Amino acid sequence: MADVAELKEKFAIPGVLAFEKTASGLVAARVTTPAAEATIYLHGAHLTHWKPAGEAPAIFVSQRAEFVAGKPIRGGVPVIFPWFGERHDGKSGPMHGFARISEWELAFAAMTGDELHLAFTLAPDDQSRALGFDHFRLSYRVTIGRTLTLQLTVANDSGSGGAREASIETKAMGAPLVFEEALHTYYAVADAQKVSIDGLGGTTYLDKVDGMKRKVQPAGMLKLEGRTDRPYLNTEATCVLHDEAGGRRIVVAKKGSATTVVWNPWKELTATMADMEPDSWLHMTCIETANVGEDSLTLAPGEHHSMRAHISIEKIA
Ligand code: TA6
């Protein structure tokens, strides 16, 4: 668990970046700049709040979210690695992988102009090694301002330092790293029944609500009309979330991501989720910047890959 005193000593910026240990024992970075405020937990490098100046918060977090080591926080931006959803290589492991329930380290913090740049890192630990992952490094760069930029970089560091850890076969041999990844972002909306999403027309998706059937999104806007759970494949498109009731658009541009997942649990599924209030499905919609399924990635030893989401807010005149 991160040491708050050490974080304060190394990274605190008076009036901009502060650290606190919350009642549940997790350590949070609290950001306040002229352009925006934000909160990011070292647990999962989990951003739970981003509010550009003059705007309502743009990221949803459940009022019943649990802030407990080893458990995922409901809402915000869960960082998903090295698998998406259920582990699907025949082995067991936590839903959506271990990154979002791991303790990340803060490696960098600096203000440039009115933007705060943070960098978090995650290296193999006992949990990841027990799950068969000992040859990866993650860095997660978060830039907080009037816009929000999230960049997840995955490196395969097997084959390097083999002598140091020759006992670990994959490390010495240099094994490929096969993984899925997602920035599982919960956007805050005023009424999900009046939300439409532009950018996915003509794109193939798997309909997880209809037996994973492969379908093509009709041209035009995607309107949410019920539980929606769709990985859209082979798309680099920018998505625009029109929050009609909220009077704004949330623009999600991306780079290095071939999958966009759209999720809203809707009323019935939400009623079964202990960490969601019954009507909270109305106030969130996930547009997830990802590489999953047939878009999953393989890195040779020494290779790395970056995926970035750039999020901005526009008022609907
Ligand atoms: O991204 C959509 C999804 O895969 C849904 O199927 C649902 O499982 C959601 O993620 C949330 O997963 P979680 O493990 O956070 O409850």
Side-chain angles (χ1 to χ4, degrees):
M1 187 69 75
D3 177 276
V4 175
E6 188 181 336
L7 285 166
K8 286 178 179 176
E9 161 113 22
K10 289 173 76 173
F11 300 110
I13 304 172
V16 173
L17 178 59
F19 298 91
E20 65 167 294
K21 178 167 275 192
T22 61
S24 63
L26 299 186
V27 175
R30 305 283 191 203
V31 177
T32 49
T33 79
E37 60 185 48
T39 298
I40 303 157
Y41 287 84
L42 279 291
H43 170 66
H46 199 129
L47 185 144
T48 57
H49 178 68
W50 171 56
K51 182 188 176 299
E55 288 287 346
I59 300 293
F60 165 90
V61 67
S62 170
Q63 296 304 307
R64 291 186 183 175
E66 293 187 275
F67 294 84
V68 176
K71 287 197 168 185
I73 297 169
R74 176 66 63 194
V77 185
V79 178
I80 309 297
F81 174 89
W83 60 81
F84 184 86
E86 303 283 347
R87 186 171 185 176
H88 27 259
D89 60 0
K91 299 171 186 166
S92 64
M95 183 75 173
H96 282 322
F98 54 77
R100 68 173 180 171
I101 54 174
S102 294
E103 192 70 13
W104 290 59
E105 290 199 6
L106 181 60
F108 178 83
M111 272 296 276
T112 56
D114 65 356
E115 289 190 324
L116 180 66
H117 298 258
L118 300 174
F120 299 87
T121 60
L122 185 68
D125 61 12
D126 293 345
Q127 173 185 243
S128 72
R129 291 191 185 97
L131 292 165
F133 287 81
D134 67 358
H135 55 293
F136 71 89
R137 285 289 187 280
L138 303 186
S139 85
Y140 182 43
R141 291 170 58 193
V142 178
T143 305
I144 296 155
R146 283 211 58 74
T147 63
L148 177 65
T149 304
L150 308 168
Q151 177 163 309
L152 180 65
T153 299
V154 179
N156 176 348
D157 73 348
S158 68
S160 61
R164 184 178 71 244
E165 301 182 24
S167 59
I168 298 175
E169 189 59 22
T170 51
K171 197 82 146 175
M173 298 284 284
L177 176 63
V178 182
F179 66 97
E180 295 173 307
E181 59 183 353
L183 299 171
H184 192 301
T185 312
Y186 289 66
Y187 293 100
V189 298
D191 183 348
Q193 300 169 113
K194 296 177 182 165
V195 150
S196 49
I197 298 170
D198 203 1
L200 296 168
T203 304
T204 297
Y205 68 93
L206 303 179
D207 191 343
K208 291 172 74 171
V209 177
D210 184 11
M212 293 298 277
K213 282 182 189 150
R214 203 175 183 89
K215 301 178 180 177
V216 177
Q217 181 65 38
M221 298 278 203
L222 161 62
K223 287 191 176 302
L224 302 185
E225 293 160 344
R227 182 178 155 221
T228 306
D229 195 346
R230 303 176 178 182
Y232 287 82
L233 303 172
N234 190 26
T235 171
E236 297 262 349
T238 292
C239 285
V240 182
L241 176 60
H242 295 258
D243 176 10
E244 182 192 332
R248 67 181 183 183
R249 286 185 288 271
I250 299 178
V251 181
V252 186
K254 64 176 191 171
K255 190 168 176 53
S257 157
T259 314
T260 295
V261 181
V262 176
W263 182 57
N264 188 302
W266 224 252
K267 185 175 183 177
E268 294 73 23
L269 180 60
T270 299
T272 70
M273 298 166 72
D275 57 1
M276 286 276 273
E277 290 186 318
D279 67 347
S280 51
W281 61 276
L282 283 165
H283 305 302
M284 49 81 49
T285 293
C286 286
I287 297 181
E288 305 161 32
T289 305
N291 287 296
V292 306
E294 53 199 79
D295 295 329
S296 62
L297 296 167
T298 299
L299 293 178
E303 283 188 337
H304 66 275
H305 175 274
S306 289
M307 173 176 75
R308 187 170 70 228
H310 180 79
I311 303 149
S312 53
I313 312 286
E314 299 174 353
K315 285 209 186 318
I316 296 176

